[in-house]
Amino acid sequence: MKPSRQKTRIIAMLTLGLLLISCVALYQQWFLRADFYLFDRQQQVLLTSKPADQQIVIIAIDDVSLEQMMQVAGRWVWPRSVHAELIEGLQAFAPQAIAFDILFSEKDIYRPDADSYLNEVLSDYTNVFFSMLVLSSTHIESAAPLLTNWQDLSKGKLHSQAQSSLLLPFAIEPEYWRLGSINYRAELDGVGRYYDIYQQTSDWKIPSLATVLALNHLTELPKQSRVLLNWRGAQQQPYQTYSYVDIYRAVVEQNSDILQQFSGKTVLIGATAAGLYDARTTPINHNLPGVYMLATALDNIKHQDYYRQMSWQAQMILASLLIMLIGLCFYFFEHYSHQLFSLLMIISGSWLAGGYFSIHLLQKNQAFFIASPLLIITLSGVLFAFVFGYVEFLQRRQALSMFGRFLDPKVVLNLLSEGKLDAGFLNQKTSLTILFSDIRGFTQLSEQHSANQVLKLLNDYFSSQVEVIFSTNGTLDKFIGDCIMAFWGAPIASTTQATDAISAALMMQDNLLAFKRNLPEHLQDFDIGIGIHSGEAIAGLIGTAQRVDYTVIGDAVNLASRIEGLTKGQCRILVSEQTMLLAQQAYDFEEVGEFKVKGRQAGVKLYQPTRR
């Protein structure tokens, strides 16, 4: 069945509106948080399958080191000469690089010799790297050069008009600066998932420490300004970690068995002690020391296996396709129950397929934030269901209001659910069985009693008789004064229409007798006559915009009315020969005779039905 214009218009408006809303919704915090949450959970599932680079090792300034180094270096901050000794001891075994995830931003005015010793050691090596902070930055993509020549920066030769706030390692002489930033930038939920390749600040691109170390490995850098980190291992410390105090003792004792482990390795030195407050909130650990985030970033860049994040356009395309699929589901399915079932299949299938698809992409280092599209189509589905549920409610209420006068409400709802309450289905020429039931002596009755008494009597009587009509699958056509008109065979076709009509007539007769027992003596003359005829007639909606009735017209209707009129002086129920022949397997019939009927030349044989 072709959808109605109203339905098509509703679907088009909902689909277009949701497409526009989804463009904006993808940038809203609530959806971004959902993206991050699902992405984090998926990463945690895959952690065990991602081994860490064994060439990256960490020397941790941990709580044990702070305690045991007290005798040698005193409280933190230690003299820089301690680090100088460590550098010299490690350099004897040719590490690839040594990087400090520690700030040396101020000169030690109380121990200047220690700073001098560190700078003296640095003069012999070019593979020692230090940290800095970018205190303010403007993230504007431009053609600015990647700033790695820090000597030019210190001498003001590179873009001298540019301005920025940098926290530099002033304890180190500028000629030994091999620097990278260690800024930590969390997302809107407070979790750090990205690592800067560089930060744009004025006319400079300031590289991160991981970037500088990757360049030391001659690694090709990503084109974007930051990367989405691909975390390693399920352990809190996926990289080989040594306590600072143990390595310092090995240097002092010249323990080559321990120190030779650092040959060819990239050594990251950073704080892990709780009291040094260098924790980062990450998807795998809400208190991850920053040096492990640096190690992960270097590992990612070095092996180029950071996540390539799919663009928001891909999210938009997926959300749009699913919204249109929901619209098509409501367009092609007529019944609301079928629409809801298909909607449930679409949404549940989208979540299952989306989860599997995004996990599969993560295994290939592709990140697709699937939660936003899935939430958008879920909310879109809820909106579609609500709108069409409300439309269904209005249709049911309208159908019950219009057809509840003629049919059992259950029948009305069944017809509505089957899409059979429209003119195309209801207007038909078909075989029907028509019943007329009239109250005898009603004129005299109305003259002898007040209007309220008469109307109460009629309402009580009609109420019980209408229940009988509905219970036998009949359609109540109308009340004509004190007369009831009903028919069987429309709008629901029936092969037992004659039998049902006679059943209704006999039950109406039983109701009459029960009704009369409760009437006062002066109303005992209350009686009825019922006429039934089966034949072809036209059933359909007749009326105007202000009022519509479902009724039947045709010669069969006139004959049923004439038969009812012939019951006076004969019996309560008379049926035509056509009706008798259709119901003779269910009831017994006594021929009453052949009668002349107005409008017909031939006589009409009439019968009185009785139960077997």
Side-chain angles (χ1 to χ4, degrees), residues 79-89 100 114 117-119 121 244:
R80 274 72 184 253
S81 56
V82 171
H83 303 306
E85 292 179 66
L86 187 74
I87 292 171
E88 280 190 302
F100 285 87
Y117 178 37
L118 174 59
N119 281 284
V121 170
Y244 191 103

Side-chain angles (χ1 to χ4, degrees), residues 14 156 169 237 302 312 339 476 490 497 514 536 545 551 554 558 564:
L14 280 176
Q237 297 178 354
K302 178 181 173 183
W312 72 270
Q339 293 170 343
L476 176 65
Q497 54 179 273
E536 195 172 71
T551 187
N558 297 330
E564 184 279 321

Side-chain angles (χ1 to χ4, degrees), residues 445 448-459 522-523:
L445 183 69
Q448 294 175 354
H449 298 83
S450 67
N452 287 336
Q453 289 176 318
V454 172
L455 291 176
K456 184 179 185 306
L457 180 68
L458 284 178
N459 288 335
H522 67 279
L523 293 177

Side-chain angles (χ1 to χ4, degrees), residues 138-154:
T138 55
H139 298 279
I140 304 172
E141 298 292 335
S142 71
L146 188 67
L147 179 57
T148 56
N149 190 340
W150 297 98
Q151 291 184 357
D152 285 345
L153 174 63
S154 65

Side-chain angles (χ1 to χ4, degrees), residues 146-341:
L146 188 67
L147 179 57
T148 56
N149 190 340
W150 297 98
Q151 291 184 357
D152 285 345
L153 174 63
S154 65
K155 297 173 183 177
K157 294 181 179 179
L158 184 63
H159 297 279
S160 58
Q161 300 301 315
Q163 296 182 357
S164 183
S165 296
L166 306 174
L167 187 59
L168 297 166
F170 291 110
I172 310 298
E173 296 297 332
E175 56 262 35
Y176 308 133
W177 282 359
R178 286 170 287 275
L179 308 181
S181 66
I182 54 172
N183 290 73
Y184 168 75
R185 287 195 292 151
E187 303 309 308
L188 55 90
D189 58 352
V191 179
R193 299 177 181 86
Y194 296 86
Y195 199 89
D196 288 327
I197 298 301
Y198 61 83
Q199 289 192 64
Q200 180 81 46
T201 172
S202 192
D203 286 332
W204 301 324
K205 288 181 178 178
I206 309 296
S208 67
L209 184 55
T211 300
V212 174
L213 291 171
L215 289 172
N216 185 61
H217 287 83
L218 303 178
T219 302
E220 183 179 352
L221 296 179
K223 297 186 184 332
Q224 62 267 36
S225 62
R226 62 176 187 164
V227 293
L228 183 59
L229 292 178
N230 189 346
W231 300 95
R232 300 293 192 242
Q235 303 175 0
Q236 184 174 352
Q237 297 178 354
Y239 295 91
Q240 182 65 50
T241 302
Y242 303 89
S243 181
Y244 191 103
V245 65
D246 293 336
I247 306 307
Y248 182 78
R249 285 172 179 166
V251 168
V252 173
E253 297 169 3
Q254 298 183 353
N255 188 335
S256 59
D257 291 337
I258 294 177
L259 297 179
Q260 67 182 359
Q261 299 179 80
F262 297 95
S263 177
K265 304 289 181 67
T266 297
V267 183
L268 307 180
I269 302 172
T272 64
L276 298 185
Y277 308 107
D278 193 34
R280 305 283 190 264
T281 301
T282 69
I284 62 169
N285 188 337
H286 284 190
N287 291 286
L288 184 72
V291 68
Y292 289 105
M293 194 170 192
L294 170 63
T296 303
L298 174 59
D299 194 347
N300 281 198
I301 299 171
K302 178 181 173 183
H303 297 284
Q304 297 187 359
D305 62 350
Y306 45 84
Y307 287 122
R308 274 75 171 176
Q309 184 177 341
M310 297 181 72
S311 66
W312 72 270
Q313 288 92 337
Q315 289 180 295
M316 188 64 239
I317 291 171
L318 177 61
S320 300
L321 290 175
L322 291 174
I323 289 172
M324 288 188 285
L325 181 60
I326 290 174
L328 291 174
C329 143
F330 279 82
Y331 180 82
F332 285 111
F333 288 103
E334 185 66 29
H335 306 313
Y336 186 61
S337 58
H338 296 167
Q339 293 170 343
L340 288 183
F341 179 77

